[in-house]
Amino acid sequence: QQPRTKCDLFTFIFERPHELGWSVDLFPNVMASVINSLHHLYVTYDCIHGDVKPANILVSMRKTPIFILTDFGTVQPVSHAQQLLSTELQTLEYRAPERLMELQVDHSKIDVWSSGILALDMLISFPVVYGKTEEEQMSQHVINEKIFSYID
């Protein structure tokens, strides 16, 4: 029997956290589900997801919520990701700086960056990066880099 989905992770964390029961205690469950899904996609199909973000993770409300990675419309084979993955396909807030600058990078790793931003969003219960344009997004990365350098 398929789990009944109540909402996506964005709604669960940012819009109705108290009503739906979001707690940072659920963080390991979410990350384990996302990482296991990405690992399966990469190892089994040699593909990247290409758009890891809270809106693409469904939450099934059970005794313990279940988190399901969805929206495979941007999935690309690793071997073709560099040529095929358009920057417009990946959500701006979860796009790596190298992709914003259109550098030649190993695109098989873009899900790692998006997962890291997702993790930060969950830990602080607020979107870490929120630029509306690629230029704003890059300036957010620079500002956050300065902020996080003081934490070390």
Side-chain angles (χ1 to χ4, degrees):
Q1 180 179 346
Q2 289 286 15
R4 187 173 156 206
T5 301
K6 187 80 165 178
C7 64
D8 62 44
L9 190 62
F10 185 89
T11 302
F12 193 54
I13 296 172
F14 302 124
E15 293 179 349
R16 298 173 26 209
H18 302 294
E19 177 186 340
L20 296 172
W22 168 251
S23 163
V24 174
D25 296 340
L26 294 171
F27 171 81
N29 299 26
V30 176
M31 290 311 296
S33 178
V34 170
I35 290 167
N36 286 336
S37 297
L38 293 173
H39 180 263
H40 179 74
L41 190 62
Y42 189 80
V43 170
T44 306
Y45 301 103
D46 195 34
C47 289
I48 59 171
H49 184 275
D51 199 20
V52 177
K53 62 182 179 180
N56 286 343
I57 300 167
L58 300 181
V59 182
S60 172
M61 304 305 284
R62 298 261 176 126
K63 188 174 183 178
T64 301
I66 298 170
F67 304 95
I68 306 159
L69 182 64
T70 63
D71 191 357
F72 295 94
T74 56
V75 168
Q76 298 291 334
V78 172
S79 59
H80 299 293
Q82 188 143 352
Q83 304 96 302
L84 299 176
L85 194 61
S86 165
T87 55
E88 290 79 32
L89 291 177
Q90 192 179 22
T91 301
L92 185 61
E93 292 88 340
Y94 297 89
R95 199 177 303 161
E98 302 90 316
R99 301 219 356 103
L100 288 168
M101 295 185 297
E102 298 182 12
L103 298 176
Q104 295 297 320
V105 297
D106 181 358
H107 291 285
S108 68
K109 308 290 188 264
I110 68 167
D111 289 336
V112 175
W113 174 269
S114 301
S115 299
I117 297 296
L118 171 69
L120 285 172
D121 286 353
M122 286 189 294
L123 289 173
I124 65 173
S125 297
F126 187 82
V128 168
V129 186
Y130 46 85
K132 291 186 180 5
T133 65
E134 290 185 356
E135 292 78 23
E136 284 181 23
Q137 191 72 11
M138 279 304 298
S139 69
Q140 284 292 314
H141 287 304
V142 171
I143 291 167
N144 287 337
E145 181 180 317
K146 289 178 182 175
I147 291 169
F148 289 117
S149 69
Y150 291 110
I151 296 172
D152 292 336

